[in-house]
Amino acid sequence: MEISAGILKETDVLLAAFAMGVLLLCAYDVLRVARRIVPHKMWLVGAEDLIFWIGSGVALFAMLYRENSGYIRGFVIGGVLAGMLLYNLILSAWVVAGSVFLLEKILFVLSRPLVWTARLLKRPVGFAGEKIKKLLRFLKKELKKFWKTVKMGICKL
C-alpha cells in the first residue's frame, strides 16, 4: 500500500501550517514578555498587536504561497489554529513565566552596579547640591541688591 504524492504534499502543508501556528504564538509570547517587563500604555499595546497581526498575515500568506501555491484550504487554517491552541495549552504559560523570571533576575543583577554607584555618590552629590543651592541663593540676593542700586542710580539721573 503506497501513499499518493498528493496526500504527502498536503501532509507537509498541514505540518507547515501547524508549525506556523506554533511560531506565531511563540512570537506573540515575546510581546507578552516585553509587556510584563516594561509596562505599556493601552494605545501602544493596540499598535503592537496591529503590527503583529499584519506581520502574521503576511507570514501566513508567504507560507501558503510557498507550500501550497497560495491556495487557502480549510485544513491549513485548522493546522494553524491547532498549532496555536496546543502551544497555548502546553507551553505558553511556562515560556512567558520562565522568560519573565529570567529577565527580571538578569536585569536585577545588571542594575546592581548602578545602585551601588548611586548609593556611593548620594552623599557627596547631595552635599555639593546643598552648597550650590546656598551659593545660588546668595548670588540671587546680591544680584537683587545690585539691580536695586542700578535702578536708584538711573532714577536719580
Side-chain angles (χ1 to χ4, degrees), residues 138-155:
F138 173 76
L139 290 175
K140 185 178 176 182
K141 265 200 256 182
E142 292 300 315
L143 191 58
K144 279 183 179 180
K145 286 179 190 176
F146 176 73
W147 181 246
K148 198 174 189 181
T149 307
V150 169
K151 279 172 62 176
M152 287 192 318
I154 291 174
C155 289

Side-chain angles (χ1 to χ4, degrees), residues 5-146:
I7 297 293
L8 287 176
K9 177 65 179 160
E10 289 190 4
T11 304
D12 286 345
V13 172
L14 179 63
L15 290 175
F18 185 84
M20 178 62 73
V22 170
L23 286 173
L24 288 177
L25 212 54
C26 189
Y28 193 74
D29 278 350
V30 171
L31 277 177
R32 289 173 59 198
V33 167
R35 290 175 185 163
R36 288 190 185 177
I37 297 293
V38 178
H40 288 61
K41 297 202 182 278
M42 286 305 292
W43 68 269
L44 188 57
V45 170
E48 287 172 348
D49 282 347
L50 180 66
I51 292 168
F52 173 79
W53 288 112
I54 289 171
S56 296
V58 169
L60 189 58
F61 177 77
M63 186 272 304
L64 282 171
Y65 186 76
R66 187 183 67 247
E67 296 291 331
N68 204 23
S69 300
Y71 292 115
I72 298 174
R73 310 277 302 269
F75 73 91
V76 173
I77 304 290
V80 171
L81 291 175
M84 290 175 130
L85 181 66
L86 282 175
Y87 175 81
N88 192 40
L89 291 175
I90 296 170
L91 291 175
S92 183
W94 290 3
V95 168
V96 171
S99 298
V100 168
F101 177 78
L102 284 176
L103 283 174
E104 284 177 344
K105 295 300 178 193
I106 289 170
L107 289 173
F108 177 78
V109 168
L110 292 177
S111 69
R112 289 289 80 183
L114 293 174
V115 170
W116 294 332
T117 304
R119 284 184 187 157
L120 284 174
L121 295 177
K122 185 177 181 180
R123 184 168 281 165
V125 169
F127 179 76
E130 288 176 20
K131 294 298 179 188
I132 289 172
K133 281 182 186 178
K134 285 182 180 179
L135 177 65
L136 289 175
R137 267 189 252 129
F138 173 76
L139 290 175
K140 185 178 176 182
K141 265 200 256 182
E142 292 300 315
L143 191 58
K144 279 183 179 180
K145 286 179 190 176
F146 176 73

